[in-house]
Amino acid sequence: MARSRIVVPPSHLRNVAIIAHVDHGKTTLVDKLVYQSGLYRNEELDKLAGGQHGLIMDSNDLERERGITILAKNCAVAYQAADGETYRINLIDTPGHADFGGEVERVLNMASGTLLLVDAYEGPMPQTRFVLQKSLDRGLKPIVVVNKVDRPDSRPQEVVNEVFDLLVDLDAPDDVLDFQVIFASARDGWATADLANPSSNLVPLFEAIVGHVPPPDKADRAREPLQFQVTSLDYSEFVGRIAIGRVHAGVIKKRQRVAVIDHLGEVTRKNVVQLLAFEGLERVEVDEVAAGDLCAVVGMEPIEIGDTIADADEPHALPHTRVDEPTLHM
Ligand code: GDP
């Protein structure tokens, strides 16, 4: 299997779980999404992916990199959106039935949104109800994909109403009831937001994912190993060199033992002596700062601009040359 690592800033990540009844077309849809994302690759992506085809990340990679066990199949696709930006979409498989081992929960914890895939003839089936309920409990908003609209006996509008009724039954909040609908023929490889306006590819679905699934939130990123990149330096005669930058992943804490990775990849271990957060024009001492926020770190000497302050046990450097652009390895 082709393996690749697509590095994008957290803002360009979309982690989406697919909820579908068996035979409604999940396998077919994922295959087509992977295939078509390959068609929209640009040169930069080729470089990031090491020139490999397929852009598939196997579940073992994900397991290793996130340190969790995923039983389901997962894959990642890179998609260059209409806004010109390249997004990485992680498609997360969910078990098609209720289970009692917590697998549904674990899988859903990785997602920031869901694709609720429903057969345009059969409509929503009771077996997906459990997983859907769990996803709603986690505040995940579904994009409803009504699949197999090519079937002559399909009844897409009625099926949309049935999904609405199911969500009402599950006590979904108003913003969920206002769901985005995409009509699709996974078999024929196309999707559209408006049946009167057909399309010849899955771009409308890709765009719906990019536009409607939020990037991983701060809480998700805060659970990852620490990565902080030094974007500027300050100096105080009392504490010496002060590293200023942004926490890209994880949490940095006062007195924490961290790894400093320099531009040659050399790792040295240091202790965080003091942490300062920015408040208006002031710097205030704090105990911890989480992913997404800026801060100043004391105790890292002789640190340089571009260095990464990382988790002491899992030190992964951020790309040294791209100081102004936050990146995250996944
Ligand atoms: P899964 O069990 O949800 O993974 O479903 P599959 O992707 O295996 O699809 C189940 C069956 O539905 C297969 O025979 C597919 O060829 C068929 N199928 C999937 N998508 C479509 C579609 O868009 N239109 C039609 N007509 N058939 C489809």
Side-chain angles (χ1 to χ4, degrees):
M1 177 180 285
R3 279 174 39 186
S4 62
R5 174 187 294 241
I6 307 153
V7 182
V8 297
S11 59
H12 289 47
L13 263 179
R14 297 291 181 274
N15 295 329
V16 58
I18 306 184
I19 301 174
H21 183 65
V22 61
D23 272 354
H24 283 196
K26 181 164 63 182
T27 310
T28 310
L29 183 69
V30 169
D31 278 357
K32 289 284 161 55
L33 284 169
V34 170
Y35 175 71
Q36 292 196 15
S37 73
L39 300 180
Y40 302 120
R41 282 179 313 162
N42 62 13
E43 265 174 42
E44 186 195 355
L45 253 181
D46 264 347
K47 259 185 274 158
L48 288 174
Q52 293 175 341
H53 288 281
L55 297 172
I56 299 168
M57 175 175 273
D58 69 39
S59 52
N60 288 334
D61 276 359
L62 277 173
E63 264 174 41
R64 263 195 305 280
E65 293 185 13
R66 307 207 60 158
I68 50 173
T69 304
I70 305 165
L71 300 173
K73 278 175 280 149
N74 293 282
C75 66
V77 299
Y79 170 67
Q80 194 182 10
D83 63 9
E85 301 281 308
T86 297
Y87 293 83
R88 178 184 149 117
I89 301 170
N90 288 313
L91 298 163
I92 303 161
D93 198 8
T94 62
H97 53 82
D99 83 329
F100 303 97
E103 192 199 346
V104 171
E105 282 86 347
R106 275 201 300 278
V107 163
L108 290 175
N109 277 342
M110 291 189 290
S112 309
T114 59
L115 291 188
L116 178 58
L117 183 65
V118 183
D119 183 303
Y121 168 73
E122 278 196 348
M125 300 298 277
Q127 284 87 334
T128 53
R129 194 186 163 103
F130 175 86
V131 180
L132 184 58
Q133 175 74 71
K134 292 276 177 197
S135 73
L136 295 172
D137 292 347
R138 274 165 182 67
L140 300 177
K141 226 179 136 169
I143 295 171
V144 175
V145 181
V146 178
N147 188 35
K148 307 194 190 183
V149 294
D150 59 272
R151 276 177 67 157
D153 56 357
S154 72
R155 39 183 200 94
Q157 296 298 350
E158 269 172 54
V159 165
V160 171
N161 292 338
E162 289 170 13
V163 171
F164 183 86
D165 292 344
L166 172 62
L167 288 169
V168 169
D169 208 36
L170 292 174
D171 237 354
D174 285 351
D175 68 316
V176 168
L177 295 178
D178 193 22
F179 51 81
Q180 166 85 19
V181 182
I182 296 289
F183 301 99
S185 171
R187 189 195 66 182
D188 299 342
W190 60 266
T192 178
D194 173 9
L195 277 175
N197 202 354
S199 115
S200 58
N201 55 41
L202 290 169
V203 165
L205 178 55
F206 280 114
E207 291 293 326
I209 293 171
V210 166
H212 291 274
V213 175
D217 67 18
K218 283 188 179 181
D220 288 341
R221 273 186 274 152
R223 281 193 288 270
E224 292 167 357
L226 170 66
Q227 280 184 309
F228 170 103
Q229 192 159 48
V230 183
T231 49
S232 57
L233 293 170
D234 202 351
Y235 183 82
S236 131
E237 57 181 293
F238 304 110
V239 298
R241 210 171 256 209
I242 302 170
I244 299 170
R246 197 183 117 159
V247 183
H248 295 287
V251 178
I252 188 165
K253 294 180 180 158
K254 191 171 171 181
R255 285 186 287 275
Q256 182 180 358
R257 186 125 182 105
V258 294
V260 176
I261 312 166
D262 71 14
H263 68 290
L264 296 172
E266 296 279 328
V267 177
T268 47
R269 301 290 191 297
K270 304 270 178 195
N271 290 313
V272 176
V273 172
Q274 211 182 23
L275 267 187
L276 302 159
F278 300 97
E279 213 170 281
L281 298 173
E282 307 283 307
R283 287 184 193 175
V284 291
E285 223 182 306
V286 291
D287 289 334
E288 60 175 64
V289 178
D293 282 341
L294 308 175
C295 66
V297 188
V298 175
M300 302 292 110
E301 279 201 306
I303 197 158
E304 299 286 350
I305 289 178
D307 290 359
T308 301
I309 301 175
D311 187 282
D313 299 321
E314 285 184 69
H316 297 297
L318 289 154
H320 198 272
T321 48
R322 299 171 69 186
V323 173
D324 54 339
E325 190 178 351
T327 54
L328 177 73
H329 292 276
M330 280 193 67

